[in-house]
Amino acid sequence: MLIQLEKDIAANTKADIINQIKALKYKVTEVTTQRAHYLVGIGKAEVDLRAIGQLPGIRDIHQVSDDYQLVSRKWRVRPTVLDLGDGVHIGEGSLSLVAGPCSIESEEQMEKIMQHLLDNNVRLMRGGVFKPRSSPYSFRGLGMEGLKQFHQMARERGIKVVTEVMQVSQVEEMHDYVDVFQVGARNTQNFNLLDALGGVDKPVLIKRGISGTIEELLSSAEYVFSGGNEKLILCERGIRTFETASRNTLDLNAVPILKEKTHLPVVVDPSHGIGIRDYVAPMALAAVMAGADGILYEAHEKPEEAASDGQQTLNFDESSRLIQNLRRVYELRKELV
């Protein structure tokens, strides 16, 4: 059961509602976000929603059978659209493009990539400053100093910063230098980190776990939402299967399924999804036709010299062609729907 309370509800009125729900043997959790105040009721007893919905202080009430109630589309039919400011939006009604290197390497590198994005009217840049690497001897990013420089250069050019946070202790120090916190596949079920991100007032992009199910991805988003942050984006980035012909198996089935199950924006990362440069573009185009609200991919002036993931990174010419084709395909999708 999901109840949205009136904005200025009195404390005693709210207490009366909670007591009546508990009397039905339901466990009640209060959730206060940037936008609203909710009560999430978990229980098995049959409930007359009309009787409860008539109680003073209740704005709306829904019976949601999913374990992930707050992110479910069963109660919020209208899709969530996130406003990042300066005319940048993520969600249904537009195609968001997020491009940049796997790792932030230098000021010169950032300057070239940002100019490439501006030349193609792309306002969101991805780039890791803390890099989770399988080998301890691989390049692991420039850390906070790199992020501060990334943020400053992006601000001067009107670009929004999307970067990965890896642990709870980084959330506070990164906060002022990030527009979108990214939770990587390795941290999708790092519930301490998800709880911490529930307390920030900035969008959080959650990638699907390497072997994670769609339900598990939605449950991860529920953690952040229930912590108070409903500015969420879900990302399909490929899963590990028995197939060895590509780095991962990009599960484009997930896109229409997620769009049906949740009101949150859904984006796709074809770079990690397939891991082979020649196939990134066709998978990105397929993702748009599948209904994705955005594409997140890796670009670098010279991928062969990239500090990480060069084998799945597009050069600037390939990136420019992809951007043009993504926008064409998106226009075609709108005509076909």
Side-chain angles (χ1 to χ4, degrees), residues 185 208-214 235-255 268-276 279 283 312:
R208 185 177 177 183
I210 294 172
S211 300
T213 65
I214 290 172
C235 180
E236 165 59 38
R237 48 81 65 202
I239 52 176
R240 182 172 290 167
T241 68
F242 56 81
E243 183 55 70
T244 58
S246 56
R247 179 176 180 179
N248 294 297
T249 298
L250 185 59
D251 181 15
L252 292 184
N253 294 340
V255 178
V268 172
D269 178 351
S271 296
H272 285 89
I274 195 160
I276 302 170
Y279 306 144
M283 296 311 295
Q312 64 188 36

Side-chain angles (χ1 to χ4, degrees), residues 110 114 118 123 125 148-161 177 179:
M110 285 189 285
M114 287 181 188
L118 292 175
R123 301 279 304 284
M125 178 172 166
K148 290 176 181 178
Q149 189 176 45
F150 182 9
H151 172 265
Q152 180 181 350
M153 294 178 67
R155 278 290 173 274
E156 292 170 353
R157 294 162 175 79
I159 290 174
K160 302 297 181 181
V161 172
Y177 306 100
D179 295 294

Side-chain angles (χ1 to χ4, degrees), residues 291-310:
D293 299 308
I295 301 296
L296 185 81
Y297 71 94
E298 292 180 350
H300 192 290
E301 183 188 20
K302 298 179 180 178
E304 61 277 6
E305 298 178 8
S308 55
D309 283 350

Side-chain angles (χ1 to χ4, degrees), residues 84-114:
L84 276 64
D86 303 320
V88 180
H89 297 84
I90 299 178
E92 204 162 297
S94 62
L95 180 68
S96 301
L97 302 180
V98 189
C102 176
S103 301
I104 296 298
E105 301 165 9
S106 66
E107 180 178 352
E108 180 183 8
Q109 176 220 31
M110 285 189 285
E111 187 171 359
K112 290 180 178 179
I113 291 173
M114 287 181 188

Side-chain angles (χ1 to χ4, degrees), residues 219-231:
S219 293
S220 295
E222 189 82 0
Y223 258 88
V224 181
F225 202 133
S226 66
N229 184 0
E230 55 181 285
K231 297 179 179 179

